Each structure stands twice: as C-alpha cells, then as structure tokens.
Amino acid sequence: MHHVLYSWSELVEIDKHCQHLEDAINNIDELVVHLQKTDNQSLYSSNLIILKNELSNQLEEILAQFTNRQPK
C-alpha cells in the first residue's frame, strides 16, 4: 500500500510540474501578443521562442513517458 501511495504522490508532483510548464508556455504566448503591440517585440521575441521551445520539449519528454508517443 505504501508503494502505491508513493507512486501516486509522484504522479501528482509530475502532473503539477506539467501544469506549470503548460502555464509558462501559455504565458509566453500571451507576452508575445502584448509585445506585438509595442516597439519592443523584436528585442524579445527570439529569446521567447527559444524559451518556449525548451519548455515545450521538456513537457513533451515528460508526457512521452506516459504514452506511446515520441517527443517532438
């Protein structure tokens, strides 16, 4: 029983981590939308794209462990 609870708590923590990654990706998308309305878009967009891609890769690697799909 202890093993099941431990495994369940690990899954809960992984789920929280995935949610944080998804939230960060969505926040970057929102930031890009706001930056497009300013003169500063070119200063930040390439770094934001790199950051978003890294977060997306991390999320895909985690999710691939729980499905039959491969990371993008």
Side-chain angles (χ1 to χ4, degrees), residues 5 7 11 26 30-33 49 51-52 63 67 69 71:
L5 291 176
S7 295
L11 289 175
N26 290 333
E30 289 179 25
L31 181 57
V32 168
V33 168
I49 290 168
L51 181 59
K52 180 181 174 183
L63 295 177
T67 63
R69 62 189 191 153

Side-chain angles (χ1 to χ4, degrees), residues 10-38:
E10 278 187 330
L11 289 175
V12 169
E13 289 303 314
I14 291 170
D15 183 60
K16 286 180 187 177
H17 185 69
C18 288
Q19 186 60 53
H20 290 306
L21 288 170
E22 290 172 347
D23 291 344
I25 291 166
N26 290 333
N27 288 338
I28 290 170
D29 288 339
E30 289 179 25
L31 181 57
V32 168
V33 168
H34 290 289
L35 285 172
Q36 288 173 342
K37 298 175 184 176
T38 71

